[in-house]
Amino acid sequence: MNSTLALLKERLQTALVAAFGPDLADADPVLVPASNPKFGDYQANGAMGLAKRLGMAPKAIASQLLDHLDVSDLCDPPEVAGPGFINLRLKPEYLEAQLKDIQADPRLGVAPVANPKRVIVDYPSPNIAKEMHVGHLRPCVIGDALARILEFLGHDVLRLSHIGDWGTPFGMLIAYLREAYPDALAGGELDLGDLATFYRAAKKRFDEDTDFQEAARLAVVKLQAGDPETIQAWKVVCDLSNRTNRKIFDLMGLSPKIQERGESFYNPLLPDVIAELDRLGLLVEDQGAKCVFLDGFTNKEGKPLPLIVQKSDGGYNYATTDLAAIRYRVTEDRVQRVIYPVGAEQINHFAQIFQVGKRAGWITDETEFVHTPLGNILGEDGKKLKSRSGEAARLVDLLEEAIARARTDLEARLTEENRTESEDFIAHVANVVGIGAIKYADLSQNRTSSYIFSYDKMLALQGNTAPYMLYAYVRVRGISRKGGIDFEALGDNSRVVLQDEAEFALAKSLLKFDEVLSAVEADLLPNRLCEYLFDLSKTFNQFYDRCPILQAEDPQRTSRLILADLTARTIKLGLSLLGIQVLERM
C-alpha cells in the first residue's frame, strides 16, 4: 500500500509534466496536509513557486494543472482556491477501501522502503567504570527509538555502543583494582560493589598519593603495551561496568541487539589512520603534534583551528578514535548512513571529524554521517538536572523513582475504585507506566530542545503523556472484553462504512501513520510520532464519545469495531517503535 501523500504527489507531478512539459519533471507540487479541514485533506501549493519560472499567474497554472490531473479514484473533484492553491478532499469510498486493506496487514499499511540502507545508530555509548547518569537518558531512548523505526521501515540497522573503554583513566582504575581486589587478577569471584563507589575510591587514592599516581601511569603504559595481567585487570573493570549498564538497559527495555564496540576496538587501527591522513597530505605538524587544519574553524586570535589527531607525546585522543570509527564503518561495515544521537555541546566536534572524514574520502555522497544534537534535561530551576548531592542524577535513580511513583498512583486508584489486584499485576503496571512515562516524556520533546524533568507531568493521565496513550489503548481493549469481541474474527467480508464526521476524522488520522514514519526517517525527530499518536488518541476519544459502538446496529457496529481495533493496533505499534510497552488493563 502506497502512502496517500505519495500517491497524490506522484499524480500531481505527472500532471505538471503533461501540462507544461518534461522540463517540470523535477518540480515540487508542494503537497501538504490542509491547514483547515473545511478546505479538504491536502493542499498543493506548487503553483505559487512556478509563477516566475513559467511566466504565468499562479491561479492560471493551477487551473491548467487541474485539466491534466487525474485523481478521480482518490478524491472528490479538486478545487482551485485563493491565489492558486489546489484543495484535495479524499473520497469516502477510497478511505473505506484503504482501511480494509490495512485491517488485514500486520504492518498497518506501512510498506518497507524500496531502497533499504545499512544504517548504524551509535548509542548509548557510556564510559566504562562511571555510572550512567541523567545525561545518558536521551541518547538511550532517542537512539533506541530511531533504530527501531528505521529497522521497521526495512533498513539493516546496526546498534553500536561506542563505549569509552580505553585511555588514561583506566590506569587509575587498574591500579586500584590491583591494590584493593588482588583476587580479581586470579579470576576469582568477587563483588566490586557499587560502581560509583569503586570509581570514587580509586579517584580518592589517585588524588592523595603520588606513589599511586605513578602506579596508575605505569598501568596505562602496560595496558597500551598489551601486558597480559594488565589486560586481565582491564577486562574485570569493563565486565563490571558492562553488567551494571546492561541491567539499566534491560530495565529501560532497550533493544537487546545493542553491540558494544568501544574505543579499545579501534585502538590497533589508529596508526593506520594517521598514516593515511599523512599520505593524503592532510597532516601538519604543529608544536610537535600532528594536526589537520580545518576550514571554517578559527581560534580566539582568528587563526585556523587545528584538530589534533596525535599528541606531541605520540598519544591519541577522542578525535583519532572517532576518525578510525568513521573509516572502519565505511570500509568494513559498508554503511550508507550513520546516526549519532549525542548532546548539542558536541556539534563542533562532529562538524570537525566529519570534515576530516570528507577530505580523506571516507565520507562521500553515498554515505551520510549525521549528528542528531540533543538538548539538556533540566531541573525545576532551569539548570541541568542534578541529585541532592549536587552531582549529575544517576539514571537508575530516576527510573526507580518513576516506577515507585507510578505504583503509588496505581495503589491509590485501586483503593478509590475498591479494586483488588495481585502483586504481580501491580508491579508490572507500575514498571510499564513508570518506564514508559520517562521515555515518552523525553521522546515527545523535539530532541534539539532542552526540557524540564517533572514526574508529575510525565505521569499525568491527561495531556501528551505515556499514561494517556496507554489508557487510550486500554479503552479499546475494554470494548473487546465488555462486548466479548474477537477483533481478529471480524472477517474479511466486514465492511467499513464512514458516515459521521468523527468516523471520517479517525479514518484520516489512521491513514497518516506511514506518512509520519517516513517523516521521522527523513528528519530523525521521533517527537513527530509522539504527536501523531497523541492526536490519534484524542481523535479516537472524540469518536468514542460521539459514536456508539457496541450499541450500534450493523453494518455500523462492525465498522466502528474495525476503527477501534485499528486505533489500538496503531497505538500499540507506534509505542513499540518508541520502545514503550502497552497494557491490556491498568
Side-chain angles (χ1 to χ4, degrees), residues 107-146:
R107 295 180 59 87
L108 297 175
V110 182
V113 292
N115 299 301
K117 295 180 179 179
R118 188 162 174 79
V119 180
I120 287 175
V121 183
D122 187 329
Y123 79 103
S125 305
N127 286 322
I128 291 293
K130 288 187 179 180
E131 276 201 302
M132 295 181 71
H133 55 74
V134 62
H136 293 110
L137 177 61
R138 305 206 79 181
C140 279
V141 298
I142 292 174
D144 202 56
L146 292 176

Side-chain angles (χ1 to χ4, degrees), residues 147-158:
R148 288 172 185 268
I149 292 167
L150 293 171
E151 190 170 63
F152 178 74
L153 291 174
H155 297 290
D156 177 15
V157 178
L158 269 175

Side-chain angles (χ1 to χ4, degrees), residues 100 103-104 473-492 494 540 549-550 557-569 584:
K100 279 301 295 179
Q103 183 196 7
Y473 178 80
V474 166
R475 199 172 200 182
V476 181
R477 302 309 298 165
I479 295 170
S480 171
R481 288 190 298 274
K482 183 178 179 181
I485 306 297
D486 180 358
F487 284 120
E488 294 183 2
L490 290 176
D492 294 337
S494 303
F540 172 76
I549 299 178
L550 295 176
R557 182 178 189 271
T558 300
S559 175
R560 289 174 179 176
L561 284 170
I562 291 172
L563 287 173
D565 180 44
L566 286 174
T567 299
R569 288 168 58 193
E584 296 300 308

Side-chain angles (χ1 to χ4, degrees), residues 125-427:
S125 305
N127 286 322
I128 291 293
K130 288 187 179 180
E131 276 201 302
M132 295 181 71
H133 55 74
V134 62
H136 293 110
L137 177 61
R138 305 206 79 181
C140 279
V141 298
I142 292 174
D144 202 56
L146 292 176
R148 288 172 185 268
I149 292 167
L150 293 171
E151 190 170 63
F152 178 74
L153 291 174
H155 297 290
D156 177 15
V157 178
L158 269 175
R159 298 163 170 84
L160 294 181
S161 184
H162 187 93
I163 54 177
D165 67 350
W166 199 252
T168 305
F170 281 90
M172 177 184 76
L173 300 171
I174 291 167
Y176 183 70
L177 183 71
R178 281 179 173 147
E179 180 181 281
Y181 301 94
D183 290 346
L185 303 180
E189 290 288 328
L190 81 160
D191 180 7
L192 296 183
D194 180 79
L195 190 61
T197 302
F198 177 81
Y199 183 86
R200 281 196 295 268
K203 183 72 166 63
K204 187 171 184 292
R205 290 283 293 118
F206 187 85
D207 292 341
E208 295 176 353
D209 191 328
T210 54
D211 290 340
F212 184 85
Q213 291 174 15
E214 179 62 16
R217 188 190 67 78
L218 291 174
V220 174
V221 173
K222 288 184 177 181
L223 178 64
Q224 293 175 341
D227 174 65
E229 184 191 58
T230 307
I231 292 291
Q232 171 63 22
W234 171 76
K235 287 180 178 178
V236 170
V237 174
C238 290
D239 182 60
L240 167 68
S241 193
N242 288 333
R243 279 189 283 113
T244 303
N245 291 342
R246 177 47 64 184
K247 288 178 182 177
I248 296 176
F249 296 167
D250 291 344
L251 180 61
M252 295 183 74
L254 301 189
S255 171
K257 298 178 183 178
I258 297 173
Q259 301 176 40
E260 287 157 359
R261 190 190 285 177
E263 294 170 340
S264 62
F265 177 88
Y266 301 103
N267 191 61
L269 309 178
L270 302 185
D272 288 344
V273 170
I274 300 300
E276 185 165 350
L277 293 175
D278 193 24
R279 179 177 59 80
L280 293 168
L282 296 176
L283 283 190
V284 175
E285 190 165 313
D286 186 59
Q287 299 180 38
K290 293 181 179 178
C291 313
V292 179
F293 280 87
L294 302 164
D295 297 331
F297 290 89
T298 55
N299 60 20
K300 293 179 181 178
E301 289 74 38
K303 297 179 180 179
L305 188 71
L307 179 69
I308 298 173
V309 294
Q310 188 171 18
K311 295 180 284 188
S312 57
D313 63 2
Y316 305 107
N317 55 23
Y318 294 127
T320 326
T321 304
D322 283 341
L323 289 172
I326 289 173
R327 182 171 175 258
Y328 189 92
R329 290 168 177 183
V330 171
T331 59
E332 303 299 325
D333 292 324
R334 302 288 181 182
V335 294
Q336 284 89 43
R337 195 180 196 190
V338 183
I339 299 162
Y340 298 82
V342 179
E345 64 273 9
Q346 296 294 321
I347 285 177
N348 280 348
H349 172 73
F350 282 106
Q352 290 168 357
I353 62 171
F354 291 167
Q355 182 183 136
V356 175
K358 289 175 183 176
R359 289 168 64 184
W362 304 327
I363 301 177
T364 65
D365 292 341
E366 286 72 45
T367 55
E368 179 191 14
F369 280 71
V370 55
H371 170 217
T372 56
L374 310 178
N376 293 316
I377 301 176
L378 309 176
E380 298 286 352
D381 58 359
K383 299 178 181 178
K384 283 188 178 182
L385 186 66
K386 295 185 182 297
S387 66
R388 290 188 180 89
S389 64
E391 299 174 343
R394 297 197 316 164
L395 180 54
V396 69
D397 290 342
L398 298 181
L399 301 173
E400 290 176 349
E401 176 73 9
I403 294 170
R405 290 185 180 228
R407 183 183 181 108
T408 299
D409 290 348
L410 173 60
E411 289 174 337
R413 188 159 42 82
L414 292 177
T415 300
E416 184 180 322
E417 297 172 2
N418 198 25
R419 280 170 57 194
T420 301
E421 298 288 355
S422 70
E423 169 57 28
D424 286 347
F425 174 87
I426 293 171

